[in-house]
Amino acid sequence: MRAFAHDVFDYPLPAGHRFPLDKYRLVREAADRLPGLAVENAAAAPLEALARTHTADWLTRIRDGRLQHREELALGLPWSPELVVRATRATGATIQAAHAALEDGVAMNLGGGTHHAFADAGRGFCVFNDVVTALRTLRVEGRLQRVLVVDLDVHQGDGTHALLAPDADAFTCSINGFRNYPFRRVPGDLEADLADGTGDDAYLEILARLLPEALRRARPELAFYLAGADPYEGDRLGRLSLTKAGLRERDGVVRDLLRASGVPVCVTLAGGYAEDILDTVAINVATIESFVDAEA
Ligand SMILES: [Zn+2]
């Protein structure tokens, strides 16, 4: 399996910032040791690709660091030139992984899943919307038309929903924590909102019901899977109570249902904010292992 990484494109964060920047390096180091996985550094998303998703105003102002204070607060990350380089590479990784998925059946971005980015704004640690940029790029290249986004990050993908709302050939399916960010929701095509403390059994039952319906309705040529680690019981932001074993089972359900339907999948890792960063890393690495096996 091919995987694309952006951990080497570092950016400055104040000490104690809640965004787990080290996670990406630790996941990359573990991925480099996994048999059957070829990891390479992502290429930057071209400006013309980003312009398929974002307004010229947002692209110019984020490049030049001309954000209003409230915009920087909503983004949740301090602006720097390096942050923009990183976001451009993270989006490029999803474009490359989507191409590789069409060729190989499965491929991965060792990050990405920046689903809170809107056309004209970055929010919630998301500068650019990688999935929407990738799917529009593949369409322009004539590779596909119909896509399914399976978003199992605990937070609702409001930016992705807004961008894809008018798109009849893109279908979103997500399972969210009800009382979690974002507090102003943008409806997706098929969603479940779970109460605080929901555990493995209830979660997996809902997934087993939702995903087959999503596949029937979407009839996708490619799926994007946001394998967020933040439904984990030890997550600081998640509010749900899935175990590591439950999350592994979740990944297996997604892998097996997509495979049985003959749908290639581009996996992104999305969020994860465990008390102990090594828990998030372990969950991400388990996701990678699940999909490395899928290719065999
Ligand atoms: Zn999240």
Side-chain angles (χ1 to χ4, degrees), residues 47-61:
L47 182 60
E48 64 173 11
L50 295 170
R52 293 183 185 117
T53 302
H54 296 287
T55 62
D57 175 67
W58 175 247
L59 291 174
T60 309
R61 290 192 304 111

Side-chain angles (χ1 to χ4, degrees), residues 113 115-116 124-125 151-156 180-181 228-231 235 237-238 270-273:
H115 57 173
H116 300 306
F125 308 144
D151 189 341
L152 300 187
D153 187 281
V154 79
H155 304 99
Q156 195 211 38
N180 219 319
Y181 178 93
D230 47 14
D235 197 273
L237 308 182
Y273 314 92

